[in-house]
Amino acid sequence: MANEQQGGPKTAGSKVEPAKGKLGVMVVGLGAVATTFIAGVEAVRRGIAKPIGSLTQMGTIRLGKRTDNKSPLIKNFVPLADLNDLVFTGWDIFEDNVYESAAHAKVLDKDLVEQLKPYLETIKPMPAVFDQYYVKRLHGTHVKKGKNKRDLADQVRADIQAFRKTVDRVVMIWCGSTEIFLEPTAVHQSIEAFEKGLEANDIGIAPSQIYAYAALSEGVPFANGAPNLTVDLPVMIELSKKNAAPICGKDFKTGQTFMKTVLAPAFKARLLGVSGWYSTNILGNRDGEVLDDPESFKTKEESKLGSLEYIFQPELYPDLYANIFHKVRINYYPPRGDNKEGWDNIDIFGWLGYPMQIKVDFLCRDSILAAPIALDLVLFLDLAKRSQELRSIGIQEWLSFYLKSPQTREGLYPEHDLFIQSMKLKNTLRHIMGSDLITHLGLEYYD
Ligand SMILES: NC(=O)c1ccc[n+]([C@@H]2O[C@H](COP(=O)([O-])OP(=O)(O)OC[C@H]3O[C@@H](n4cnc5c(N)ncnc54)[C@H](O)[C@@H]3O)[C@@H](O)[C@H]2O)c1
């Protein structure tokens, strides 16, 4: 095994199957993020760029004591699919192949996209499950027809079954647009109710749920890069456990929320109070256009607002965090394209209540930040599927690290602090490989 070659720990306790053969990656929505992800993987495979931002490709993991000096690469410690073994396919409501879509998205340099053209143009989207009711700003033409939602789900299942014949394992990831804000209803409470709802074209069942239902019914792990109500539903948790198809939270944690979940834990650790946090963004890609619709924005807003409340725990620290004014704005501004600018004004207060301010101006590239997250989620969900311990537990809380809205078992509050999430992720890897967990206590060095 790879970890033995790297001198890693003994893995006698490890019950993770090796990553043999091809991993099929089914991407829902071949837009800016998806094409940056796929083109990026191909560029890395060809040795013309580095997978910067990807923990699975560049991250290391410390094993044993600090004095042991043992920190293998994560990909040499746990058996992950090799990038050369990834095979991509996907669905979109437009017929553009991945080359055309990447060129349209204008995230990557023209030169790079041209260099990768022969490969990218081989990936052509299958017709999508789509209904404009759920994404108001899009008008798709490359769309499946069916007599009801059940029929559409069966068509997606048929797509999965056909693709599965060409690869060894499959993972699905939603990189599609943000759907309108939906809340769980009776139809989402069990597999039976959901299946009846599919037959009856229940309005509470959005396209993303149809893909998720199809994936989980086929035993395929599912990641959700958008804030839609998709797998955070009892029916999906039930399917995930029943069919050993791991799921995790939603909405890639890339720009502003990434910063929030770094800064907020720092204020809390130092007991600095916060009276206001105003966040605003300008972006001009298609995602920005979709989010310009108030119903899609509401979905995003809920996801973005969640983190601070959980990190600050105002019920434990009423003097510091009970009265935070938290506002999030997203403004569609075409000139910027995918290069988003996110501003944060943070009003904090210190010793004796004296006020201070912090300004963050993050000039980021949305899809450049999201692509490595998509890659890691795909590889780690495939790992979870091959882990005897993880495959049937449903929600993979250890993947919260990547997501604005982590998913947890009912009654458990989510962990948003990026550093706790990072520790949880790495300890999960140590755990499934039968290696000692690292607590950072460190008293043994002073015996
Ligand atoms: N880039 C980031 O930093 C980031 C962070 C968090 C979340 N997200 C989310 O990721 C998603 C993708 O972002 P993007 O910038 O690539 O957007 P995009 O608009 O470029 O791509 C979305 C693609 O999904 C397609 N699509 C929409 N509905 C579909 C359906 N039902 N079936 C198949 N395809 C469908 C669209 O046609 C489009 O090609 C968005 O929901 C966005 O909110 C992005």
Side-chain angles (χ1 to χ4, degrees), residues 32-33 92-93 129 175-178 211 225-226 251-252 254 287 300 366:
V33 171
D92 205 285
I93 66 171
V129 176
C175 293
S177 310
T178 300
Y211 287 100
D251 205 3
F252 299 132
T254 49
D287 184 31
K300 192 59 129 185
D366 243 10

Side-chain angles (χ1 to χ4, degrees), residues 109 121 256 303 330 371 389:
D109 290 345
E121 64 185 1
Q256 202 162 50
S303 181
I330 298 178
E389 231 174 315

Side-chain angles (χ1 to χ4, degrees), residues 28-34 91-94 128-130 135 138 174-179 207 211 225-227 251-254 285-287 290-291 300 338 340 366-367 369-370 404:
V28 191
L30 295 169
V33 171
W91 297 267
D92 205 285
I93 66 171
F94 301 110
V129 176
F130 182 71
V135 187
L138 293 184
W174 175 272
C175 293
S177 310
T178 300
E179 295 172 328
Y211 287 100
D251 205 3
F252 299 132
K253 177 153 90 172
T254 49
N285 55 15
R286 192 184 279 149
D287 184 31
V290 167
L291 294 174
K300 192 59 129 185
D338 201 66
K340 182 159 84 180
D366 243 10
S367 303
L369 292 170
K404 280 195 200 70

Side-chain angles (χ1 to χ4, degrees), residues 344-365:
D344 286 275
N345 169 74
I346 315 158
D347 285 288
I348 66 170
F349 52 93
W351 186 241
L352 313 178
Y354 281 80
M356 296 170 264
Q357 287 182 17
I358 297 173
K359 314 277 176 187
V360 180
D361 184 1
F362 191 4
L363 289 102
C364 61
R365 291 172 188 265

Side-chain angles (χ1 to χ4, degrees), residues 213-284:
Y213 166 82
L216 302 179
S217 299
E218 292 293 324
V220 169
F222 186 96
N224 183 10
N228 319 323
L229 183 72
T230 304
V231 291
D232 36 345
L233 292 167
V235 48
M236 302 298 176
I237 296 168
E238 198 184 330
L239 276 171
S240 164
K241 287 185 180 165
K242 183 172 159 223
N243 299 326
I247 53 174
C248 51
K250 61 185 181 181
D251 205 3
F252 299 132
K253 177 153 90 172
T254 49
Q256 202 162 50
T257 310
F258 165 51
M259 287 294 147
K260 266 186 190 157
T261 62
V262 171
L263 291 173
F267 302 148
K268 188 173 134 193
R270 285 288 169 91
L271 285 313
L272 292 169
V274 178
S275 57
W277 199 311
Y278 179 79
S279 305
T280 188
N281 298 271
I282 53 173
L283 82 162

